[in-house]
Amino acid sequence: MARRSKGRPVDGIVLLHKPQGISSNKALQQAKGLYFAQKAGHTGALDPLATGMLPICFGEATKFTQFLLDTDKTYVVRAKLGERTTTSDSDGEVVQTRSVNIDRDTLQSAVNSFLGESDQYPSMYSALKYQGQPLYKYAREGKEVPRKCRKINVYSLTLDEYDAENEEIQMTAHVSKGTYIRTIVDDLGEKLGCGAHVIMLHRSKVGHYPSEKMVTIEQLEEKLQQAKSEGIEPSTYLDELLLPMDTALVDLPVVEISQEQGKAFSHGQVVVCAQVPDGIIKVVADGQFIGIGERNADGHLKAKRALATNQ
């Protein structure tokens, strides 16, 4: 006898405003529970210290999480100068204290030096895995393991504030996927010769999603209580906050096919249509998003990920 999935089928994306002090997985489980969703996944972890945008994909939207993982991000970060910590943020222990003797011009020059492409070694306190275990688990045991250098791109890094009295700075960073802001702050501190660590980190944007679309756990709970107090189905108000799953794919070229071709596509059959572009394609049948595809060797359209609801 097949085991029934717990929860209801929910498809879409909610832009959760992760609060400080909990893991991304904890935030995910809270949102999943409130939606009573069968399936959910987040698209790029934020440290417990960090707040901000954590897109939660429900149901069929989990097929497209990679596109949000791969997109650029924008952060607001506040750093304390003069102290270096084990984790490069205020959750770690201070391992070195130095005096801060810099002026704004020196600071601005150092900040500007991080613009553009560079190589970055991930922090040992990251969620990246080595031999199946997250790096932070090794770090907590006092172990150092090999880490692969990765190419990153800092599209912009603005110095928003320099509080010389409290030896703190605030910056806004627009960066490519996989960029560790903690590492940038730690490297900046070493470049300045005084050390630095993150005391506040807020992710304001993921790809094209604006911060105004974010919702908090408290707002989701209020929607749930409102529905219960009115004696209506809880999903009535919660589902209003969901964004269509193809909003994760706005940068992809679109191929439109007929409803009949859409049925074939959803069953894994090759669809013959003119001018299929290279790369991954968003596929729309009769005005409805049905999945992503790619061009095969014959120049025709084949499915890469099709929505189960259209099969």
Side-chain angles (χ1 to χ4, degrees):
M1 182 176 172
R3 200 168 92 180
R4 297 181 66 182
S5 298
K6 184 180 179 182
R8 67 187 181 96
V10 184
D11 300 316
I13 300 169
V14 67
L15 301 181
L16 189 68
H17 189 307
K18 190 192 87 67
Q20 188 176 358
I22 67 171
S23 68
S24 293
N25 187 60
K26 177 70 173 178
L28 164 67
Q29 295 307 323
Q30 288 179 347
K32 183 182 178 183
L34 288 167
Y35 270 90
F36 196 53
Q38 288 179 357
K39 187 177 182 181
H42 67 66
T43 58
L46 285 169
D47 296 329
L49 171 78
T51 63
M53 190 175 293
L54 183 68
I56 304 291
C57 295
F58 293 113
E60 290 291 277
T62 58
K63 292 180 176 180
F64 313 108
T65 55
Q66 192 61 45
F67 293 93
L68 293 178
L69 286 167
D70 289 346
T71 195
D72 54 319
K73 318 286 193 302
T74 300
Y75 299 88
V76 177
V77 58
R78 194 166 187 89
K80 172 70 175 174
L81 302 178
E83 295 176 348
R84 197 180 196 192
T85 72
T86 52
T87 58
S88 302
D89 62 26
S90 55
D91 283 344
E93 297 177 5
V94 176
V95 292
Q96 193 174 26
T97 302
R98 285 171 278 179
S99 60
V100 181
N101 298 304
I102 56 172
D103 55 34
R104 191 179 180 96
D105 288 342
T106 301
L107 177 57
Q108 185 66 68
S109 178
V111 168
N112 291 345
S113 71
F114 286 88
L115 293 171
E117 285 191 353
S118 64
D119 294 323
Q120 186 184 74
Y121 280 96
S123 166
M124 275 299 298
Y125 282 86
S126 70
L128 288 178
K129 292 186 177 180
Y130 175 75
Q131 294 184 347
Q133 291 289 331
L135 292 180
Y136 62 77
K137 288 194 174 181
Y138 293 102
R140 289 170 184 167
E141 296 170 1
K143 298 176 181 176
E144 186 100 5
V145 298
R147 288 158 288 162
K148 287 185 178 180
C149 187
R150 53 170 65 183
K151 287 283 185 187
I152 64 164
N153 199 328
V154 178
Y155 303 115
S156 67
L157 184 63
T158 59
L159 177 61
D160 303 323
E161 181 187 345
Y162 175 31
D163 182 350
E165 183 179 351
N166 293 306
E167 299 179 337
E168 294 178 3
I169 62 172
Q170 186 161 306
M171 302 182 292
T172 300
H174 176 205
V175 298
S176 63
K177 68 169 184 175
T179 302
Y180 286 93
I181 304 299
R182 284 181 301 161
T183 301
I184 288 178
V185 166
D186 184 68
D187 289 344
L188 175 63
E190 294 312 290
K191 187 178 286 286
L192 293 168
C194 61
H197 68 273
V198 172
I199 58 174
M200 183 278 288
L201 183 63
H202 176 78
R203 186 157 68 194
S204 58
K205 286 186 72 176
V206 174
H208 69 283
Y209 290 128
S211 58
E212 302 81 54
K213 291 287 186 179
M214 282 192 285
V215 294
T216 64
I217 291 292
E218 290 75 19
Q219 286 174 314
L220 293 179
E221 290 173 338
E222 287 171 7
K223 289 285 187 182
L224 189 62
Q225 289 305 317
Q226 182 183 354
K228 286 182 178 179
S229 66
E230 295 176 6
I232 62 176
E233 176 61 39
S235 62
T236 302
Y237 291 135
L238 286 174
D239 291 1
E240 289 177 349
L241 302 173
L242 291 174
L243 300 176
M245 63 188 84
D246 62 331
T247 57
L249 311 170
V250 293
D251 294 327
L252 295 184
V254 180
V255 166
E256 297 192 24
I257 57 180
S258 68
Q259 188 173 24
E260 201 62 34
Q261 288 174 315
K263 291 178 182 178
F265 176 90
S266 295
H267 285 88
Q269 298 173 20
V270 172
V271 175
V272 178
C273 54
Q275 297 180 332
V276 179
D278 288 327
I280 307 301
I281 305 151
K282 182 164 74 171
V283 182
V284 174
D286 197 27
Q288 295 294 314
F289 170 65
I290 62 169
I292 57 175
E294 58 189 350
R295 187 170 68 179
N296 68 6
D298 297 322
H300 304 317
L301 177 65
K302 68 174 183 178
K304 188 171 177 68
R305 285 192 178 87
L307 300 185
T309 51
N310 288 279
Q311 292 181 353

